[in-house]
Amino acid sequence: SAARIGIEPGFLPSDAYMLIRKALPDAKLIDATGMLETMRATKTEAELEQLRIASELITDSMLATIAWAREGTSKTDIIERLRREETNRGAHFEYCLLTLGSSHNRAASSQAWKKGEVMSIDSGGNYHGYIGDLCRMGVLGEPDAELEDLLAEVEAVQQAAFSKVKAGTLGGDMIAHAEGVLKASKVAAYTDFFAHGMGLITHEAPFLMTNHPVAYEGTYAAKPLEKNMVLSVETTMLHPTRGFIKLEDTVAVTDSGYVMFGDRGRGWNRGGAAA
């Protein structure tokens, strides 16, 4: 009758809350969000394996979808193909944010892929409750020198962030180093860097940046990264003429650095290669 029950209000359905209140009217419900976030921040080896598998399945599915798509294939058809690729591999499809050509619109539509255009394919999938969330780039044809250069600028920011990922490094120091490299880049005016924790939830501890772009406080920026934390690291370019160019990667923190999950296809992947 005097139970203290820790709850996470943001994830407790209202009907479950009312059921607890009815069954245990004298129990004290405590907001345990902070404790549960801390517990989620560092993963067990079994959880890391689930996240690795999730990331591999999403990467394999995206690369297969890029290779399948060809001139005239619509965004709606590409997204549907990705859904089937992920499902057939044992993942639960959650979303796909897709751009073609110079457009920055990532919603499904009848827009068709044209020769020489880029594709940005960003997908989240679920494997036994754990999230895979990555972004890879495709091109219909061969990438020209400008495209190679633009993706290299994105990669430079990603590598700057990775270089600071290590247990004991302050989360804010990793963010500041990547942002410093981006600020000095010639594409800085239309490019953004973001990093966040992930696992059971797409945005979970460690929270490294405040309201950028998701509305939460960067409460972990002043704390050291810990072994087995998992980070999503992403650099997004909204190029005025070439379109949406992005890399998003998943890394697990180790004592000496990091391990990347689903680390294939990080360059320009050719559309129609499966034909």
Side-chain angles (χ1 to χ4, degrees):
S1 61
R4 297 173 73 248
I5 303 172
I7 65 170
E8 195 165 7
F11 294 96
L12 181 64
S14 59
D15 57 347
Y17 176 85
M18 290 187 289
L19 184 63
I20 294 171
R21 271 279 160 249
K22 182 178 179 180
L24 300 168
D26 297 323
K28 189 174 183 180
L29 301 186
I30 307 296
D31 186 346
T33 300
M35 181 188 73
L36 293 167
E37 286 177 345
T38 299
M39 291 173 66
R40 278 198 296 268
T42 53
K43 276 63 177 176
T44 65
E45 293 300 322
E47 287 180 301
L48 290 176
E49 179 64 8
Q50 300 286 61
L51 285 162
R52 184 193 66 77
I53 294 172
S55 300
E56 297 290 342
L57 296 179
I58 300 304
T59 300
D60 287 344
S61 298
M62 291 193 297
L63 297 183
T65 299
I66 294 171
W68 167 84
R70 61 210 65 217
E71 188 172 7
T73 309
S74 72
K75 290 177 71 177
T76 297
D77 288 342
I78 294 168
I79 292 171
E80 173 58 20
R81 178 72 180 206
L82 179 66
R83 184 193 66 79
R84 281 184 278 149
E85 292 284 354
E86 292 183 10
T87 301
N88 290 343
R89 286 174 169 79
H92 177 76
F93 175 81
E94 294 200 346
Y95 63 84
C96 175
L97 304 173
L98 183 77
T99 68
L100 298 177
S102 61
S103 173
H104 299 160
N105 187 329
R106 300 202 285 171
S109 73
S110 61
Q111 180 188 356
W113 206 7
K114 298 177 182 178
K115 197 70 174 176
E117 288 186 338
V118 305
M119 173 198 294
S120 167
I121 186 165
D122 185 337
S123 182
N126 188 306
Y127 182 76
H128 294 203
Y130 290 84
I131 304 296
D133 181 16
L134 302 100
C135 183
R136 294 293 181 260
M137 296 300 302
V139 61
L140 195 55
E142 291 298 317
D144 56 36
E146 182 183 39
L147 288 179
E148 294 281 16
D149 187 48
L150 292 174
L151 191 57
E153 294 286 342
V154 169
E155 173 73 333
V157 180
Q158 291 290 97
Q159 292 297 331
F162 300 152
S163 72
K164 297 298 181 181
V165 176
K166 177 182 177 181
T169 300
L170 294 183
D173 288 348
M174 183 267 284
I175 299 295
H177 183 62
E179 289 183 326
V181 170
L182 175 56
K183 185 177 180 180
S185 169
K186 62 186 179 183
V187 300
Y190 39 82
T191 305
D192 187 53
F193 171 77
F194 182 42
H196 57 89
M198 61 177 293
L200 287 168
I201 305 167
T202 52
H203 289 262
E204 65 180 34
F207 303 110
L208 300 171
M209 305 177 77
T210 297
N211 299 332
H212 186 97
V214 184
Y216 51 68
E217 295 296 315
T219 52
Y220 279 72
K223 299 178 182 179
L225 297 174
E226 298 179 27
K227 180 182 177 181
N228 290 7
M229 284 182 168
V230 177
L231 309 177
S232 176
V233 180
E234 50 190 290
T235 302
T236 304
M237 180 190 303
L238 302 180
H239 194 274
T241 60
R242 303 311 298 265
F244 200 100
I245 300 176
K246 175 179 179 179
L247 288 175
E248 181 173 9
D249 299 295
T250 299
V251 297
V253 181
T254 68
D255 286 329
S256 58
Y258 65 93
V259 174
M260 188 182 294
F261 298 151
D263 60 349
R264 300 175 311 287
R266 301 182 68 259
W268 285 108
N269 301 286
R270 276 59 169 180

